[in-house]
Amino acid sequence: MAEAYADLGDVQDEASTLLLLLDALPEIEQSSVLKRLHSLNRLEEVPALRRSLFAARCKETDRGLARALLQSVAAEPNGDQRPDALLALAALEREEQPHRASALLKELLDEYPMHPAAEVARKRGWAS
C-alpha cells in the first residue's frame, strides 16, 4: 500500500501507511521503513522517544540512520528528549567528526547545564 501511494506521489498517505507498517514489522525490518520516512522528511511523525530508542539499537549497524534519527530529535527545540539526543549524537560523532561533537556538547551544556545528560558528559570527561 505504501508503494502504491509512493507511485501516486501521495507523500502524506505513504508516510501514514509507513507509520502503521513500523508498528507491525519485527524490529529487524524496521530500519527500511525509517529510512524511507527519513527520505520523505517525515521522521518527526515517529515520537521522539521512539526515534531515540531506534537510534540506540541501530548505532552499531547503521550509523547513518542512527545519526538521522538523533538529528531529528535534537532539531526539536522544546522536545523533552533533546538533551539526551544531543549527548547521544555527540557520542556518535566523537570519532568521525570531533568538531561537530564538541559543538553538540557545548550546545548541551549551554542550554541544559543542569540536565542529567550534561552531567553524564561531564563525568565522561567530554565537557568541563
Side-chain angles (χ1 to χ4, degrees), residues 90-111:
L92 193 66
E93 301 288 18
R94 280 180 55 84
E95 287 183 30
E96 296 173 19
Q97 297 184 34
H99 294 305
R100 172 83 172 123
S102 293
L104 290 163
L105 291 168
K106 181 179 180 343
E107 187 175 349
L108 171 63
L109 294 170
D110 288 350
E111 293 183 28

Side-chain angles (χ1 to χ4, degrees), residues 42-97:
R42 298 298 174 123
L43 277 178
E44 71 280 351
E45 293 184 29
V46 177
L49 179 58
R50 193 163 183 205
R51 281 179 276 155
S52 295
L53 293 171
F54 281 130
R57 286 195 303 252
C58 74
K59 70 182 178 186
E60 299 300 324
T61 58
D62 193 337
R63 293 176 71 79
L65 178 58
R67 183 176 290 112
L69 290 163
L70 291 170
Q71 286 172 337
S72 72
V73 175
E76 295 179 1
N78 298 317
D80 293 339
Q81 299 298 314
R82 188 169 190 270
D84 294 312
L86 288 169
L87 179 63
L89 192 52
L92 193 66
E93 301 288 18
R94 280 180 55 84
E95 287 183 30
E96 296 173 19
Q97 297 184 34

